[in-house]
Amino acid sequence: MTLKDTIAHIPEPDAGAAEAARSRQDMLTKPRGSLGRLEELSIRLAAISGQPLPTIKHKVIVTMAGDHGVARDGVSAYPPEVTPQMVLNFLSGRAAVNVLARHVGARIVVVDMGVNYDFDPHPDLLIRKVARGTNSIACGPAMTREQAVQAIEAGIEVVEAEIAEGLDIVGTGDMGIGNTTPSAAIAAALTGEAVSKIVGRGTGLDDAGLARKVEVIERALAINKPDPNDGLDVLAKVGGFEIGGLAGVILGAASHRRPVMIDGFISTAAAMIAIAMAPQARPYLIAAHRSQEQGHGIMQDWAGLKPLLDIDMRLGEGTGAALGISLAEAACKILAEMATFDEAGVSSKEE
Amino acid sequence: MTLKDTIAHIPEPDAGAAEAARSRQDMLTKPRGSLGRLEELSIRLAAISGQPLPTIKHKVIVTMAGDHGVARDGVSAYPPEVTPQMVLNFLSGRAAVNVLARHVGARIVVVDMGVNYDFDPHPDLLIRKVARGTNSIACGPAMTREQAVQAIEAGIEVVEAEIAEGLDIVGTGDMGIGNTTPSAAIAAALTGEAVSKIVGRGTGLDDAGLARKVEVIERALAINKPDPNDGLDVLAKVGGFEIGGLAGVILGAASHRRPVMIDGFISTAAAMIAIAMAPQARPYLIAAHRSQEQGHGIMQDWAGLKPLLDIDMRLGEGTGAALGISLAEAACKILAEMATFDEAGVSSKEE
């Protein structure tokens, strides 16, 4: 679907299914509410899917890669050639996201949204290259508005193809040297917070690098003047191709009632773009974790996302999403597989 | 082994294996430290097991059940017959801990440590009944010192049998109507904190019930005067049979270099008894989660345990331990399965 049609098709969450799930949780053999956020999660998954007993079997993590013109401005501790090197590492199955996806039974789809490298064909790699990296946001817009639409629509198409194959939940993942810089710029543009409050050390900047990064983002915002009331404008001016692609994955999943497990800092920036364009997508998003990257909390608060895990991760790739997907699956199994008090012949609370 | 021999056999964690794991983490294709507590956990599991590349395959949750004389004093929202009813629910595979254990690939061993009920034989149920419930701690000691030793040694025997079958990690779980009361009494006795700061609503007490529970525990401590320098005395005076059994599981696992995933409030009380008797057991313990039960944080601080998850769970049974075990397994897989920068041909940080 086109971006416009996709946004128009995002439904309301199903209040009836949520209510049915909530009633069932209260009949299961445990004190009410004693499974805490797992219970809450199962009710949300019912609302998202429209199923009183949602199931999560087909799990996919979409890891999108792109290069960033701004990476040449000293905002990352790693050189830009690491972007394609890590894509190849994903394809060989030995990066962190591969290990964690296998652990939770999820498949990974790797998408080249705009890497400055020509990959050989590979069954697990989709080439949706918008360009060989964005322009530096420190000098002008990252991409044209048309390219921003192209990136988002590529994401919609990728997730729709997976939904056609039976996808029950999608996790977001990213790879792109320098991409905490556009993500922080998006966060600053949409929240209005000071750049210095949002920017962190990314993959490991020192103090001088951090100061340079703040200055680059402040310059990018001053030069580009992204319009906080226009998510597409923010993406085009200070975003990235993989960020746009992930925003498309999010919108596409929401339009088909599929839950999206949002990974860390970069994925949350993509979620913010999606929400800025379509606030009705918000109920379909679940935050996997609170990244150790500074500013992530500010972004999650803006997006209304409460993280499941807080274990100092800050890698991206979809690593946090993998762990979050396992919790979502656990929540569905609790709802479907536990006995009720009646079924088990267990006395309920004395009231 | 006897309790005395078990304590004498608890080894030092292996600093060499920990160092090897730490070095390998720093060579893997991710920024150093970017997997946060998963990295930390893998290093601890190396230290515990003595293996630079620890593996977690055979996962067992030991869920121990016992009744409590004090449950007749109105300290629980559920009637005492729920203890055996829930044991039968565990055996039918449809309680919360069964669902979550299956989800993470763990087996459950259910142990009757002192339930006031005669169970029919069942392949998944071990009968190690010390007595048909403890005496009410509000009137005198829960059990004799001999019974306390018997409970602990039963736990040692249970975990040693599993270790002989290849157990790589054990999770603790509990069932016993009324058992947040002895657990809170243990916590107050060992930490010296005010009872009102530790006691929570358990499975769902109202305000009057909560006040009664505080009063019962204060009376139990005043009557019994448990000696905080003698863990066995604390267990005998204000503990429970399943709590003693779990302390035995913990000590037995530590003496054989096996990690123990500690569940919630009751399991943490058992961990405190184990630590009070053998502080050298502490490095073998991992806290799965922070329970929503008030006071759990105070107990974890005393025990030096930092929880992995904080998702408002307060059910017990081993439900939190199941989720924690999955994170421990993920941590080991990261260490073993990820490529190094050299192997993957990925450029490392520019320094």
Side-chain angles (χ1 to χ4, degrees):
Chain A
M1 276 198 288
T2 63
L3 170 56
K4 205 179 149 193
D5 285 349
T6 297
I7 289 177
H9 276 81
I10 298 173
E12 285 279 306
D14 188 327
E19 195 40 48
R22 191 187 309 276
S23 308
R24 184 172 166 83
Q25 279 290 4
D26 289 347
M27 296 188 303
L28 300 176
T29 45
K30 57 178 172 50
R32 282 186 190 187
S34 62
L35 284 176
R37 298 201 54 205
L38 287 186
E39 295 190 22
E40 205 180 288
L41 193 49
S42 73
I43 294 163
R44 285 199 54 199
L45 290 163
I48 289 171
S49 63
Q51 306 294 326
L53 289 179
T55 53
I56 290 184
K57 282 182 186 145
H58 297 275
K59 299 157 268 182
V60 175
I61 294 170
V62 177
T63 300
M64 294 188 146
D67 272 312
H68 297 268
V70 76
R72 290 185 302 270
D73 297 320
V75 294
S76 175
Y78 288 81
E81 62 262 27
V82 168
T83 305
Q85 288 169 351
M86 283 301 299
V87 168
L88 296 172
N89 198 21
F90 298 150
L91 297 176
S92 79
R94 293 188 63 198
V97 69
N98 301 97
V99 176
L100 296 180
R102 273 198 298 275
H103 178 59
V104 305
R107 195 161 48 83
I108 300 178
V109 174
V110 184
V111 188
D112 171 6
M113 287 299 305
V115 181
N116 185 19
Y117 185 85
D118 294 311
F119 295 103
D120 289 333
H122 187 289
D124 298 337
L125 176 66
L126 300 176
I127 307 289
R128 297 291 181 273
K129 207 190 284 285
V130 179
R132 294 176 71 105
T134 55
N135 300 313
S136 174
I137 60 175
C139 311
M143 64 189 88
T144 65
R145 198 167 169 99
E146 290 67 37
Q147 286 177 317
V149 172
Q150 184 187 341
I152 295 172
E153 291 188 341
I156 293 170
E157 178 257 325
V158 166
V159 78
E160 287 191 329
E162 293 297 330
I163 290 168
E165 300 287 322
L167 173 145
D168 293 315
I169 191 168
V170 62
T172 62
D174 73 284
M175 180 67 224
I177 293 302
N179 68 4
T180 56
T181 294
S183 298
I186 289 168
L190 288 174
T191 65
E193 276 287 355
V195 171
S196 60
K197 280 203 178 165
I198 289 168
V199 169
R201 294 175 188 274
T203 49
L205 282 179
D206 57 17
D207 287 347
L210 189 61
R212 193 163 50 232
K213 191 170 164 183
V214 170
E215 192 202 299
V216 163
I217 295 170
E218 284 175 345
R219 204 182 330 146
L221 294 171
I223 289 179
N224 288 296
K225 300 187 180 48
D227 176 1
N229 299 309
D230 179 356
L232 197 60
D233 187 62
V234 175
L235 173 63
K237 299 265 183 71
V238 298
F241 297 128
E242 79 281 39
I243 296 171
L246 290 172
V249 167
I250 292 164
L251 294 170
S255 75
H256 292 275
R257 293 197 163 286
R258 294 305 191 283
V260 189
M261 189 60 71
I262 303 292
D263 194 45
F265 195 77
I266 287 88
S267 287
T268 305
M272 292 175 76
I273 295 291
I275 291 170
M277 289 192 293
Q280 67 273 32
R282 193 195 305 251
Y284 294 88
L285 312 190
I286 301 163
H289 75 120
R290 170 71 45 97
S291 167
Q292 210 191 12
E293 184 75 6
Q294 193 182 321
H296 196 212
I298 293 169
M299 294 162 74
Q300 289 182 326
D301 287 347
W302 181 92
L305 298 172
K306 191 175 157 199
L308 290 167
L309 291 155
D310 187 1
I311 52 174
D312 301 340
M313 291 169 73
R314 53 178 171 84
L315 177 54
E317 297 181 3
T319 48
L323 299 178
I325 283 173
S326 180
L327 292 176
E329 187 178 352
C332 290
K333 288 177 174 173
I334 285 290
L335 196 58
E337 298 177 19
M338 272 186 74
T340 63
F341 280 100
D342 279 354
E343 287 167 352
V346 174
S347 310
S348 56
K349 195 170 160 181
E350 289 170 331
E351 323 203 53
Chain B
M1 277 199 285
T2 63
L3 170 56
K4 204 179 148 192
D5 284 350
T6 298
I7 290 177
H9 276 82
I10 299 173
E12 286 277 306
D14 188 327
E19 194 41 47
R22 191 186 308 276
S23 308
R24 184 172 166 82
Q25 280 289 6
D26 289 347
M27 295 188 305
L28 299 176
T29 45
K30 57 179 172 49
R32 282 187 191 187
S34 62
L35 285 176
R37 299 200 54 205
L38 287 185
E39 295 191 22
E40 206 180 288
L41 193 50
S42 74
I43 293 163
R44 286 200 52 200
L45 290 163
I48 288 171
S49 64
Q51 306 295 325
L53 289 180
T55 53
I56 291 184
K57 282 182 187 145
H58 297 274
K59 298 157 269 183
V60 176
I61 293 171
V62 178
T63 300
M64 294 186 146
D67 272 311
H68 298 268
V70 76
R72 290 184 302 270
D73 297 320
V75 294
S76 176
Y78 287 81
E81 63 263 27
V82 169
T83 305
Q85 289 169 349
M86 283 301 298
V87 168
L88 296 172
N89 199 20
F90 298 149
L91 297 175
S92 78
R94 293 188 64 197
V97 69
N98 300 96
V99 176
L100 296 181
R102 273 197 298 276
H103 178 60
V104 305
R107 194 161 49 82
I108 299 179
V109 175
V110 184
V111 188
D112 171 6
M113 288 298 305
V115 181
N116 185 20
Y117 185 84
D118 292 312
F119 294 103
D120 290 331
H122 187 288
D124 298 337
L125 176 66
L126 301 175
I127 307 288
R128 297 291 182 274
K129 207 189 283 286
V130 179
R132 294 176 72 104
T134 55
N135 300 313
S136 174
I137 61 175
C139 312
M143 65 189 89
T144 65
R145 198 169 170 97
E146 290 67 36
Q147 286 177 317
V149 172
Q150 184 187 339
I152 296 173
E153 291 187 342
I156 293 170
E157 178 255 326
V158 167
V159 77
E160 286 191 329
E162 293 297 331
I163 290 168
E165 299 288 324
L167 174 145
D168 292 317
I169 191 167
V170 63
T172 62
D174 72 284
M175 181 66 224
I177 294 301
N179 68 3
T180 56
T181 294
S183 298
I186 289 168
L190 288 174
T191 65
E193 275 288 353
V195 172
S196 60
K197 279 202 179 166
I198 289 170
V199 168
R201 294 176 188 274
T203 50
L205 283 179
D206 57 17
D207 287 347
L210 188 62
R212 192 161 54 234
K213 189 169 164 183
V214 170
E215 192 203 300
V216 163
I217 296 171
E218 284 174 346
R219 203 182 331 145
L221 294 171
I223 288 179
N224 287 297
K225 299 185 180 52
D227 176 359
N229 299 309
D230 179 357
L232 197 60
D233 188 63
V234 175
L235 173 63
K237 300 263 182 74
V238 298
F241 296 129
E242 79 281 39
I243 297 171
L246 290 173
V249 167
I250 292 164
L251 294 170
S255 76
H256 292 276
R257 293 196 163 286
R258 295 304 192 283
V260 189
M261 190 60 70
I262 304 291
D263 193 43
F265 196 77
I266 287 88
S267 288
T268 306
M272 291 175 76
I273 295 290
I275 291 171
M277 290 193 291
Q280 67 273 31
R282 192 193 305 250
Y284 293 88
L285 312 190
I286 301 163
H289 74 120
R290 170 72 46 94
S291 167
Q292 210 189 11
E293 184 76 5
Q294 192 179 321
H296 196 213
I298 293 170
M299 295 161 74
Q300 289 183 325
D301 286 348
W302 182 92
L305 298 172
K306 191 176 157 198
L308 290 168
L309 290 156
D310 187 1
I311 53 173
D312 301 339
M313 291 168 73
R314 53 178 170 83
L315 177 55
E317 298 181 1
T319 48
L323 299 179
I325 283 173
S326 180
L327 291 176
E329 187 179 352
C332 290
K333 288 177 174 174
I334 285 288
L335 196 57
E337 298 177 20
M338 272 186 74
T340 63
F341 280 100
D342 278 354
E343 286 167 351
V346 173
S347 310
S348 56
K349 195 169 158 180
E350 289 171 330
E351 320 204 57

PDB file of all heavy atoms in Angstrom, chain B residues 127-151:
ATOM      1  N   ILE B 127       8.163 -36.375  47.315  1.00  0.00           N
ATOM      2  CA  ILE B 127       7.624 -36.175  48.660  1.00  0.00           C
ATOM      3  C   ILE B 127       8.799 -36.140  49.639  1.00  0.00           C
ATOM      4  O   ILE B 127       9.503 -37.129  49.827  1.00  0.00           O
ATOM      5  CB  ILE B 127       6.661 -37.322  49.051  1.00  0.00           C
ATOM      6  CG1 ILE B 127       5.581 -37.526  47.995  1.00  0.00           C
ATOM      7  CG2 ILE B 127       6.050 -37.052  50.431  1.00  0.00           C
ATOM      8  CD1 ILE B 127       4.531 -36.453  47.927  1.00  0.00           C
ATOM      9  N   ARG B 128       9.022 -34.969  50.191  1.00  0.00           N
ATOM     10  CA  ARG B 128      10.084 -34.818  51.197  1.00  0.00           C
ATOM     11  C   ARG B 128       9.487 -34.122  52.419  1.00  0.00           C
ATOM     12  O   ARG B 128      10.122 -33.284  53.064  1.00  0.00           O
ATOM     13  CB  ARG B 128      11.238 -33.958  50.634  1.00  0.00           C
ATOM     14  CG  ARG B 128      11.948 -34.544  49.445  1.00  0.00           C
ATOM     15  CD  ARG B 128      12.769 -35.780  49.784  1.00  0.00           C
ATOM     16  NE  ARG B 128      13.486 -36.301  48.623  1.00  0.00           N
ATOM     17  CZ  ARG B 128      12.959 -37.148  47.730  1.00  0.00           C
ATOM     18  NH1 ARG B 128      11.722 -37.583  47.858  1.00  0.00           N
ATOM     19  NH2 ARG B 128      13.686 -37.568  46.706  1.00  0.00           N
ATOM     20  N   LYS B 129       8.274 -34.511  52.720  1.00  0.00           N
ATOM     21  CA  LYS B 129       7.483 -33.877  53.761  1.00  0.00           C
ATOM     22  C   LYS B 129       8.195 -33.952  55.117  1.00  0.00           C
ATOM     23  O   LYS B 129       8.462 -35.035  55.621  1.00  0.00           O
ATOM     24  CB  LYS B 129       6.148 -34.612  53.858  1.00  0.00           C
ATOM     25  CG  LYS B 129       4.981 -33.791  54.369  1.00  0.00           C
ATOM     26  CD  LYS B 129       3.763 -34.666  54.621  1.00  0.00           C
ATOM     27  CE  LYS B 129       2.991 -35.099  53.388  1.00  0.00           C
ATOM     28  NZ  LYS B 129       2.192 -34.037  52.778  1.00  0.00           N
ATOM     29  N   VAL B 130       8.499 -32.811  55.684  1.00  0.00           N
ATOM     30  CA  VAL B 130       9.101 -32.775  57.018  1.00  0.00           C
ATOM     31  C   VAL B 130       7.991 -32.920  58.068  1.00  0.00           C
ATOM     32  O   VAL B 130       8.154 -33.623  59.069  1.00  0.00           O
ATOM     33  CB  VAL B 130       9.888 -31.462  57.230  1.00  0.00           C
ATOM     34  CG1 VAL B 130      10.498 -31.407  58.636  1.00  0.00           C
ATOM     35  CG2 VAL B 130      10.979 -31.322  56.179  1.00  0.00           C
ATOM     36  N   ALA B 131       6.877 -32.270  57.825  1.00  0.00           N
ATOM     37  CA  ALA B 131       5.690 -32.396  58.681  1.00  0.00           C
ATOM     38  C   ALA B 131       4.523 -31.826  57.889  1.00  0.00           C
ATOM     39  O   ALA B 131       4.725 -31.253  56.816  1.00  0.00           O
ATOM     40  CB  ALA B 131       5.881 -31.635  59.989  1.00  0.00           C
ATOM     41  N   ARG B 132       3.332 -31.970  58.411  1.00  0.00           N
ATOM     42  CA  ARG B 132       2.146 -31.467  57.677  1.00  0.00           C
ATOM     43  C   ARG B 132       1.921 -29.990  57.981  1.00  0.00           C
ATOM     44  O   ARG B 132       0.893 -29.611  58.548  1.00  0.00           O
ATOM     45  CB  ARG B 132       0.923 -32.291  58.040  1.00  0.00           C
ATOM     46  CG  ARG B 132       1.023 -33.744  57.561  1.00  0.00           C
ATOM     47  CD  ARG B 132      -0.166 -34.561  58.037  1.00  0.00           C
ATOM     48  NE  ARG B 132      -1.370 -34.198  57.333  1.00  0.00           N
ATOM     49  CZ  ARG B 132      -1.930 -34.922  56.350  1.00  0.00           C
ATOM     50  NH1 ARG B 132      -1.379 -36.056  55.964  1.00  0.00           N
ATOM     51  NH2 ARG B 132      -3.021 -34.508  55.776  1.00  0.00           N
ATOM     52  N   GLY B 133       2.879 -29.174  57.607  1.00  0.00           N
ATOM     53  CA  GLY B 133       2.798 -27.736  57.888  1.00  0.00           C
ATOM     54  C   GLY B 133       3.595 -27.393  59.137  1.00  0.00           C
ATOM     55  O   GLY B 133       3.834 -28.237  60.002  1.00  0.00           O
ATOM     56  N   THR B 134       4.019 -26.137  59.195  1.00  0.00           N
ATOM     57  CA  THR B 134       4.765 -25.664  60.361  1.00  0.00           C
ATOM     58  C   THR B 134       3.789 -25.316  61.488  1.00  0.00           C
ATOM     59  O   THR B 134       2.590 -25.200  61.280  1.00  0.00           O
ATOM     60  CB  THR B 134       5.551 -24.373  60.024  1.00  0.00           C
ATOM     61  OG1 THR B 134       4.620 -23.407  59.503  1.00  0.00           O
ATOM     62  CG2 THR B 134       6.641 -24.625  59.006  1.00  0.00           C
ATOM     63  N   ASN B 135       4.332 -25.112  62.669  1.00  0.00           N
ATOM     64  CA  ASN B 135       3.548 -24.534  63.765  1.00  0.00           C
ATOM     65  C   ASN B 135       3.450 -23.034  63.524  1.00  0.00           C
ATOM     66  O   ASN B 135       4.296 -22.442  62.845  1.00  0.00           O
ATOM     67  CB  ASN B 135       4.248 -24.792  65.098  1.00  0.00           C
ATOM     68  CG  ASN B 135       4.412 -26.284  65.351  1.00  0.00           C
ATOM     69  OD1 ASN B 135       3.463 -27.060  65.188  1.00  0.00           O
ATOM     70  ND2 ASN B 135       5.628 -26.691  65.709  1.00  0.00           N
ATOM     71  N   SER B 136       2.430 -22.409  64.089  1.00  0.00           N
ATOM     72  CA  SER B 136       2.276 -20.975  63.870  1.00  0.00           C
ATOM     73  C   SER B 136       3.415 -20.208  64.536  1.00  0.00           C
ATOM     74  O   SER B 136       3.643 -20.334  65.745  1.00  0.00           O
ATOM     75  CB  SER B 136       0.947 -20.474  64.425  1.00  0.00           C
ATOM     76  OG  SER B 136       0.915 -19.059  64.302  1.00  0.00           O
ATOM     77  N   ILE B 137       4.105 -19.396  63.755  1.00  0.00           N
ATOM     78  CA  ILE B 137       5.215 -18.604  64.305  1.00  0.00           C
ATOM     79  C   ILE B 137       4.713 -17.533  65.267  1.00  0.00           C
ATOM     80  O   ILE B 137       5.497 -16.964  66.028  1.00  0.00           O
ATOM     81  CB  ILE B 137       6.071 -17.955  63.188  1.00  0.00           C
ATOM     82  CG1 ILE B 137       5.229 -16.989  62.320  1.00  0.00           C
ATOM     83  CG2 ILE B 137       6.725 -19.024  62.331  1.00  0.00           C
ATOM     84  CD1 ILE B 137       6.049 -16.226  61.288  1.00  0.00           C
ATOM     85  N   ALA B 138       3.414 -17.288  65.249  1.00  0.00           N
ATOM     86  CA  ALA B 138       2.863 -16.296  66.182  1.00  0.00           C
ATOM     87  C   ALA B 138       2.794 -16.847  67.610  1.00  0.00           C
ATOM     88  O   ALA B 138       2.584 -16.093  68.569  1.00  0.00           O
ATOM     89  CB  ALA B 138       1.474 -15.858  65.732  1.00  0.00           C
ATOM     90  N   CYS B 139       2.970 -18.187  67.752  1.00  0.00           N
ATOM     91  CA  CYS B 139       2.850 -18.814  69.075  1.00  0.00           C
ATOM     92  C   CYS B 139       4.142 -19.454  69.556  1.00  0.00           C
ATOM     93  O   CYS B 139       4.251 -19.835  70.735  1.00  0.00           O
ATOM     94  CB  CYS B 139       1.766 -19.886  69.048  1.00  0.00           C
ATOM     95  SG  CYS B 139       0.233 -19.338  68.308  1.00  0.00           S
ATOM     96  N   GLY B 140       5.104 -19.645  68.677  1.00  0.00           N
ATOM     97  CA  GLY B 140       6.347 -20.316  69.053  1.00  0.00           C
ATOM     98  C   GLY B 140       7.129 -20.620  67.796  1.00  0.00           C
ATOM     99  O   GLY B 140       6.804 -20.103  66.718  1.00  0.00           O
ATOM    100  N   PRO B 141       8.152 -21.451  67.895  1.00  0.00           N
ATOM    101  CA  PRO B 141       8.972 -21.727  66.708  1.00  0.00           C
ATOM    102  C   PRO B 141       8.187 -22.482  65.630  1.00  0.00           C
ATOM    103  O   PRO B 141       7.331 -23.301  65.942  1.00  0.00           O
ATOM    104  CB  PRO B 141      10.130 -22.570  67.240  1.00  0.00           C
ATOM    105  CG  PRO B 141       9.716 -23.048  68.578  1.00  0.00           C
ATOM    106  CD  PRO B 141       8.655 -22.142  69.098  1.00  0.00           C
ATOM    107  N   ALA B 142       8.513 -22.187  64.367  1.00  0.00           N
ATOM    108  CA  ALA B 142       7.863 -22.857  63.234  1.00  0.00           C
ATOM    109  C   ALA B 142       8.167 -24.344  63.244  1.00  0.00           C
ATOM    110  O   ALA B 142       7.323 -25.169  62.910  1.00  0.00           O
ATOM    111  CB  ALA B 142       8.338 -22.232  61.924  1.00  0.00           C
ATOM    112  N   MET B 143       9.383 -24.665  63.634  1.00  0.00           N
ATOM    113  CA  MET B 143       9.854 -26.065  63.574  1.00  0.00           C
ATOM    114  C   MET B 143      11.022 -26.210  64.542  1.00  0.00           C
ATOM    115  O   MET B 143      11.537 -25.218  65.069  1.00  0.00           O
ATOM    116  CB  MET B 143      10.300 -26.403  62.142  1.00  0.00           C
ATOM    117  CG  MET B 143      11.519 -25.617  61.662  1.00  0.00           C
ATOM    118  SD  MET B 143      11.922 -25.803  59.887  1.00  0.00           S
ATOM    119  CE  MET B 143      10.945 -24.506  59.138  1.00  0.00           C
ATOM    120  N   THR B 144      11.437 -27.452  64.753  1.00  0.00           N
ATOM    121  CA  THR B 144      12.628 -27.667  65.586  1.00  0.00           C
ATOM    122  C   THR B 144      13.878 -27.412  64.742  1.00  0.00           C
ATOM    123  O   THR B 144      13.832 -27.392  63.504  1.00  0.00           O
ATOM    124  CB  THR B 144      12.688 -29.118  66.088  1.00  0.00           C
ATOM    125  OG1 THR B 144      12.866 -29.977  64.948  1.00  0.00           O
ATOM    126  CG2 THR B 144      11.414 -29.512  66.827  1.00  0.00           C
ATOM    127  N   ARG B 145      15.015 -27.266  65.428  1.00  0.00           N
ATOM    128  CA  ARG B 145      16.281 -27.096  64.710  1.00  0.00           C
ATOM    129  C   ARG B 145      16.585 -28.334  63.862  1.00  0.00           C
ATOM    130  O   ARG B 145      17.110 -28.212  62.754  1.00  0.00           O
ATOM    131  CB  ARG B 145      17.385 -26.851  65.756  1.00  0.00           C
ATOM    132  CG  ARG B 145      18.646 -26.245  65.185  1.00  0.00           C
ATOM    133  CD  ARG B 145      19.583 -25.779  66.299  1.00  0.00           C
ATOM    134  NE  ARG B 145      20.878 -25.409  65.757  1.00  0.00           N
ATOM    135  CZ  ARG B 145      21.241 -24.155  65.473  1.00  0.00           C
ATOM    136  NH1 ARG B 145      20.411 -23.149  65.696  1.00  0.00           N
ATOM    137  NH2 ARG B 145      22.434 -23.905  64.965  1.00  0.00           N
ATOM    138  N   GLU B 146      16.219 -29.498  64.358  1.00  0.00           N
ATOM    139  CA  GLU B 146      16.446 -30.745  63.605  1.00  0.00           C
ATOM    140  C   GLU B 146      15.610 -30.748  62.313  1.00  0.00           C
ATOM    141  O   GLU B 146      16.082 -31.175  61.260  1.00  0.00           O
ATOM    142  CB  GLU B 146      16.074 -31.975  64.451  1.00  0.00           C
ATOM    143  CG  GLU B 146      17.014 -32.249  65.616  1.00  0.00           C
ATOM    144  CD  GLU B 146      16.967 -31.182  66.712  1.00  0.00           C
ATOM    145  OE1 GLU B 146      15.858 -30.633  66.997  1.00  0.00           O
ATOM    146  OE2 GLU B 146      18.035 -30.842  67.259  1.00  0.00           O
ATOM    147  N   GLN B 147      14.375 -30.291  62.431  1.00  0.00           N
ATOM    148  CA  GLN B 147      13.533 -30.224  61.229  1.00  0.00           C
ATOM    149  C   GLN B 147      14.090 -29.221  60.218  1.00  0.00           C
ATOM    150  O   GLN B 147      14.011 -29.444  59.005  1.00  0.00           O
ATOM    151  CB  GLN B 147      12.094 -29.841  61.603  1.00  0.00           C
ATOM    152  CG  GLN B 147      11.326 -30.978  62.274  1.00  0.00           C
ATOM    153  CD  GLN B 147       9.928 -30.537  62.697  1.00  0.00           C
ATOM    154  OE1 GLN B 147       9.760 -29.441  63.239  1.00  0.00           O
ATOM    155  NE2 GLN B 147       8.942 -31.395  62.467  1.00  0.00           N
ATOM    156  N   ALA B 148      14.660 -28.140  60.720  1.00  0.00           N
ATOM    157  CA  ALA B 148      15.257 -27.143  59.819  1.00  0.00           C
ATOM    158  C   ALA B 148      16.401 -27.777  59.037  1.00  0.00           C
ATOM    159  O   ALA B 148      16.515 -27.610  57.808  1.00  0.00           O
ATOM    160  CB  ALA B 148      15.739 -25.927  60.612  1.00  0.00           C
ATOM    161  N   VAL B 149      17.247 -28.538  59.739  1.00  0.00           N
ATOM    162  CA  VAL B 149      18.352 -29.230  59.056  1.00  0.00           C
ATOM    163  C   VAL B 149      17.795 -30.237  58.053  1.00  0.00           C
ATOM    164  O   VAL B 149      18.270 -30.335  56.914  1.00  0.00           O
ATOM    165  CB  VAL B 149      19.275 -29.936  60.083  1.00  0.00           C
ATOM    166  CG1 VAL B 149      20.306 -30.810  59.360  1.00  0.00           C
ATOM    167  CG2 VAL B 149      19.971 -28.912  60.972  1.00  0.00           C
ATOM    168  N   GLN B 150      16.757 -30.954  58.480  1.00  0.00           N
ATOM    169  CA  GLN B 150      16.141 -31.956  57.590  1.00  0.00           C
ATOM    170  C   GLN B 150      15.618 -31.305  56.301  1.00  0.00           C
ATOM    171  O   GLN B 150      15.813 -31.834  55.199  1.00  0.00           O
ATOM    172  CB  GLN B 150      15.002 -32.645  58.336  1.00  0.00           C
ATOM    173  CG  GLN B 150      14.344 -33.784  57.553  1.00  0.00           C
ATOM    174  CD  GLN B 150      13.100 -34.325  58.266  1.00  0.00           C
ATOM    175  OE1 GLN B 150      12.945 -34.148  59.483  1.00  0.00           O
ATOM    176  NE2 GLN B 150      12.227 -34.988  57.510  1.00  0.00           N
ATOM    177  N   ALA B 151      14.962 -30.155  56.436  1.00  0.00           N
ATOM    178  CA  ALA B 151      14.423 -29.459  55.259  1.00  0.00           C
ATOM    179  C   ALA B 151      15.558 -29.041  54.325  1.00  0.00           C
ATOM    180  O   ALA B 151      15.504 -29.264  53.107  1.00  0.00           O
ATOM    181  CB  ALA B 151      13.612 -28.237  55.688  1.00  0.00           C
TER     182      ALA B 151
END
